[in-house]
Amino acid sequence: MKSSPLAPMRLGGVTTGIAFSVFALVFANAPPEIGLAQTDVTTGRITGYVRANGGSPLSGAAVTGRNPATGHAVAATSGADGFYQLIDLPGGTYSVTASLAGFAARTRSGVRLILGSSPSVDFVLEISTVSEHVSVTSAIPTVEPTNTTVSTTIEAEQIRNLPASGRDFKSFALLTPMTRIESERGTLSIGGERGINTSINVDGMDFNNPFFGGSAAHAEGRAPLSLSLESIQEMTVITNGASVEFGRSGGGFVNVVTRSGTNTVHGSGFFYFQPQAFVADFANGQSPNDQERKQFGGSLAGPLAKDRLFLFGSFERNLQDVTIPIDPIVLDAAIFARYPVLASPPQYVQTRDGWVAFGRLDWQWTDSQRIMARANRADYDGVNGTSSAPTNTLQHNGIEGMKSLQVLANSSGQFGASFVNDLNFNYHHEDTPRADKELNLPEIRVNQTSALYGEVAFLPTPSTVRRYEASDTLTYLVKNHAAKIGFDYNDTSVSQIFKNNWRGVFTFGTPADLIAGKYSSYVQFSGLGGLTADQAGTTSFAQREYAGFLQDQWFVSAKLTATLGVRYEYLDNPNAPVLNPSAALPSGQFPLNGRIPDVNNQWSPRLGLSYAVDPRTAFRLSAGRYWSRTPGLLFSQLYSRNGLIGVLYSTQPFQAGQNP
């Protein structure tokens, strides 16, 4: 099977071919947040065995898990070998009770269920002739025998208490191995892959920008806030061995679950102030640029109806500015005297202001049926936010912005003792109105000093992306198996105007050449056939993605778990014709019969094994194939800068030794 050039493939940390990755011998005292099972995306499960005092399995025992904070309870019955599963459990702390006629019931309290985890809770029931109930709080085994992946979960206490620069949730991902922030677009890179190959899920649904790649509401790294830390319950970074429920990434996955209300009214508030005096000097003794940051916000949560209806809301605001001095070599008095319109002050102030509001409603309308709806709105304004280079004059910058709205709805229900269905809908709309200073100036470049005058060549560049997503997963429990079948449909679209160099760009060798008007080159983008630059630079198309998966998790024994699944993904790329460079006509022209191929060969088999030698040691093995989606940005210029509707003119009027 070959990898499509449009969809990078990755397997166990390798980006070419099919390879196996054997990993994660978990040593004694390994922290429980490392390597959690990914049998569920937004929920967890509790499994275990019910046995008699002599070790024989007890069939028909009633096992119930209850979360006192919300009143949510799930029940199961042990099988012939004593095995039971409590599935579809939202994160929280549970009390688990096992009971059987003729035996004393036992309750294990304080069972902590964090994102994606599946702790094993075993019970030993003793024969009793009277009604008797025993409560225990013994520790849960450190190693989860049902874990078949490598991941790290950042828990609620860490998110609340650890410092994070700018309170960006992606900063916590950097606490995990094999992660970094790329300088190109500020995206999160996992396992050495490009940031566009990282997939971020929030509440089980896509939270990526389909055009640029990277996080939604991120504005290519410019926006300070996309999702408030106040609204995040937990997050998991998966570096290897992700189950077939996760797709469209050849690098890694970030899985985030947001907070919900409980039966207790609670809230939070914060205010952070970072004045210039609190910013340390650099190691060489140089003082940093003048800057100031304020961040404030809070949250409020509680019940609207006890045990049934809960509300959570949060708000966060960021106000930030930094003064950037312009390099004195750029502030050439002779240039400003010759061209007063290019004159600039010695510094400019760059702002990075934004806010994010979040609201979530949870309705537990029966013990086995839940509905959740939530919305996240992010807003960003950045004066002089296009660049922070000291070689820019004040005019050579832009006014950045971003408005993002994501709305998500989820219905999760258990039908009988064996079926669980999880249905999700996701809508995302994001505008990034990247504006210029409206001075109607060309861009002017001076190679010797790297100085930039006039206006930014590619501004304004407004763009809008939309996403409509629907997914459904059905889980069926039979004996010691948890079988899953699911699908996911994504319809994404983009509309962008990108007309780089539309006002013209003059390039000069030296400041003296600029003063003399002796430019070495001039380029300008223009429309063809009567089209304006806006019309020629407009890109508007859609991509549709289909995915389906099958998976079986087999709990072979108390020590051995096997997960086997297959995922299929299909990427339907834009169908409008493009130039075909492989079929030149006798005239030298290229016909307009090229096509962007769809990607229809993305089969992803995956296997995971976990063997727990003892309660503190486990061997794990995983193998799988992973595909990355192709962001729409890689196709945009096929429709705009193609020599048919738009063209870039270039001239070189003056050569070395010539006079203007």
Side-chain angles (χ1 to χ4, degrees):
M1 182 177 291
K2 296 183 178 180
S3 170
S4 165
L6 298 178
M9 180 191 70
R10 184 170 187 267
L11 175 85
V14 181
T15 53
T16 57
I18 297 180
F20 287 93
S21 175
V22 181
F23 47 85
L25 168 60
V26 180
F27 296 98
N29 301 312
E33 67 269 20
I34 302 298
L36 299 172
Q38 292 300 324
T39 55
D40 302 281
V41 177
T42 61
T43 60
R45 67 178 65 185
I46 299 173
T47 61
Y49 290 83
V50 183
R51 298 183 176 90
N53 194 29
S56 59
L58 292 178
S59 174
V63 183
T64 302
R66 185 177 185 276
N67 184 344
T70 62
H72 179 56
V74 174
T77 302
S78 62
D81 57 357
F83 181 74
Y84 74 91
Q85 297 187 65
L86 299 175
I87 63 174
D88 195 36
L89 299 174
T93 301
Y94 286 80
S95 294
V96 185
T97 300
S99 61
L100 183 64
F103 292 83
R106 296 182 70 90
T107 296
R108 180 78 63 85
S109 59
V111 179
R112 176 76 179 274
L113 194 64
I114 61 176
L115 177 60
S117 65
S118 55
S120 297
V121 180
D122 296 334
F123 291 94
V124 176
L125 304 186
E126 296 183 358
I127 297 176
S128 176
T129 57
V130 296
S131 178
E132 186 180 357
H133 195 117
V134 180
S135 296
V136 296
T137 56
S138 57
I140 305 300
T142 302
V143 171
E144 295 178 355
T146 60
N147 165 13
T148 58
T149 191
V150 170
S151 61
T152 304
T153 293
I154 310 299
E155 300 181 34
E157 294 83 357
Q158 296 169 305
I159 293 175
R160 305 292 172 266
N161 298 314
L162 292 178
S165 176
R167 292 177 54 82
D168 184 356
F169 78 95
K170 294 185 294 297
S171 299
F172 283 99
L174 301 179
L175 299 176
T176 65
M178 302 171 63
T179 59
R180 66 183 180 90
I181 296 294
E182 279 190 331
S183 59
E184 181 183 12
R185 295 185 184 273
T187 52
L188 180 66
S189 168
I190 300 178
E193 291 281 333
R194 295 185 62 190
I196 60 173
N197 295 338
T198 297
S199 181
I200 299 176
N201 285 358
V202 177
D203 292 325
M205 301 299 278
D206 207 305
F207 196 70
N208 301 289
N209 186 298
F211 186 66
F212 295 105
S215 170
H218 184 60
E220 300 178 82
R222 296 180 297 272
L225 298 168
S226 57
L227 190 67
S228 173
L229 291 184
E230 294 299 294
S231 63
I232 296 178
Q233 176 66 23
E234 294 164 341
M235 58 183 290
T236 298
V237 179
I238 307 170
T239 55
N240 267 308
S243 72
V244 292
E245 293 172 275
F246 293 92
R248 302 188 184 92
S249 173
F253 304 88
V254 179
N255 190 29
V256 178
V257 169
T258 59
R259 297 175 68 182
S260 64
T262 65
N263 283 323
T264 303
V265 177
H266 60 277
S268 65
F270 65 90
F271 177 81
Y272 297 102
F273 177 42
Q274 179 183 286
Q276 173 67 24
F278 288 4
V279 182
D281 292 342
F282 295 109
N284 60 7
Q286 182 179 353
S287 298
N289 297 333
D290 291 341
Q291 56 189 286
E292 185 176 276
R293 171 185 283 178
K294 299 184 182 75
Q295 281 186 272
F296 54 90
S299 65
L300 182 64
L304 298 180
K306 185 179 180 181
D307 289 346
R308 292 303 179 191
L309 189 61
F310 309 98
L311 179 66
F312 179 90
S314 68
F315 177 82
E316 183 163 347
R317 178 80 160 131
N318 181 90
L319 299 172
Q320 180 181 357
D321 63 73
V322 56
T323 299
I324 300 175
I326 299 175
D327 193 326
I329 199 172
V330 176
L331 305 172
D332 192 316
I335 293 176
F336 295 162
R338 176 70 173 84
Y339 306 103
V341 72
L342 302 182
S344 173
Q347 61 189 23
Y348 60 90
V349 177
Q350 183 182 77
T351 65
R352 199 165 180 241
D353 301 337
W355 59 267
V356 59
F358 175 89
R360 171 168 167 162
L361 190 66
D362 289 83
W363 182 25
Q364 192 170 289
W365 58 290
T366 71
D367 288 340
S368 57
Q369 306 289 327
R370 303 191 312 275
I371 294 176
M372 181 270 282
R374 63 121 172 120
N376 188 75
R377 171 66 189 270
D379 193 282
Y380 155 66
D381 294 296
V383 177
N384 296 319
T386 304
S387 174
S388 57
T391 53
N392 290 336
T393 56
L394 175 63
Q395 299 92 330
H396 194 272
N397 219 312
I399 302 173
E400 299 291 345
M402 185 275 300
K403 298 182 186 299
S404 171
L405 173 66
Q406 187 194 38
V407 179
L408 185 147
N410 165 265
S411 174
S412 181
Q414 183 168 351
F415 302 90
S418 300
F419 285 97
V420 174
N421 192 72
D422 192 68
L423 179 64
N424 297 275
F425 296 97
N426 178 28
Y427 169 75
H428 179 229
H429 179 107
E430 184 172 325
D431 290 320
T432 52
R434 308 188 65 187
D436 61 1
K437 298 292 185 70
E438 297 184 350
L439 302 174
N440 198 29
L441 297 174
E443 180 172 288
I444 298 172
R445 304 171 181 173
V446 180
N447 289 336
Q448 186 182 70
T449 59
S450 300
L452 293 169
Y453 304 93
E455 290 196 83
V456 180
F458 57 82
L459 293 180
T461 307
S463 67
T464 298
V465 296
R466 290 184 177 88
R467 179 188 299 277
Y468 299 91
E469 182 183 12
S471 71
D472 189 75
T473 301
L474 178 66
T475 303
Y476 177 63
L477 305 181
V478 52
K479 296 184 178 180
N480 288 21
H481 295 264
K484 287 195 174 189
I485 181 171
F487 79 89
D488 183 89
Y489 170 73
N490 256 279
D491 187 331
T492 60
S493 62
V494 60
S495 177
Q496 184 195 56
I497 300 176
F498 185 74
K499 47 181 181 177
N500 193 19
N501 305 323
W502 70 285
R503 287 197 191 94
V505 178
F506 292 92
T507 301
F508 297 86
T510 66
D513 290 339
L514 173 56
I515 295 171
K518 184 180 178 180
Y519 58 92
S520 58
S521 69
Y522 174 79
V523 295
Q524 183 173 5
F525 174 74
S526 179
L528 294 174
L531 297 178
T532 65
D534 275 13
Q535 292 170 326
T538 297
T539 299
S540 181
F541 59 81
Q543 292 175 286
R544 294 178 177 85
E545 300 167 76
Y546 308 86
F549 63 85
L550 291 168
Q551 176 179 282
D552 178 38
Q553 187 170 42
W554 181 19
F555 303 92
V556 183
S557 68
K559 294 185 176 182
L560 178 63
T561 300
T563 301
L564 178 64
V566 62
R567 181 183 179 92
Y568 176 74
E569 295 175 350
Y570 176 87
L571 176 60
D572 183 0
N573 283 315
N575 297 318
V578 297
L579 290 176
N580 185 353
S582 301
L585 300 175
S587 63
Q589 296 176 314
F590 296 111
L592 193 65
N593 61 4
R595 293 290 187 277
I596 300 174
D598 297 335
V599 185
N600 56 12
N601 63 343
Q602 296 182 330
W603 288 98
S604 301
R606 300 179 194 175
L607 168 69
L609 295 173
S610 174
Y611 181 72
V613 179
D614 55 50
R616 305 174 70 87
T617 307
F619 288 93
R620 297 188 174 93
L621 177 147
S622 73
R625 198 178 195 186
Y626 300 87
W627 302 84
S628 292
R629 77 178 303 276
T630 304
L633 178 65
L634 302 183
F635 300 139
S636 60
Q637 293 197 30
L638 295 175
Y639 295 107
S640 58
R641 194 154 304 193
N642 55 15
L644 293 176
I645 62 173
V647 67
L648 186 67
Y649 294 100
S650 177
T651 63
Q652 294 179 318
F654 301 109
Q655 303 297 325
Q658 293 182 334
N659 294 318

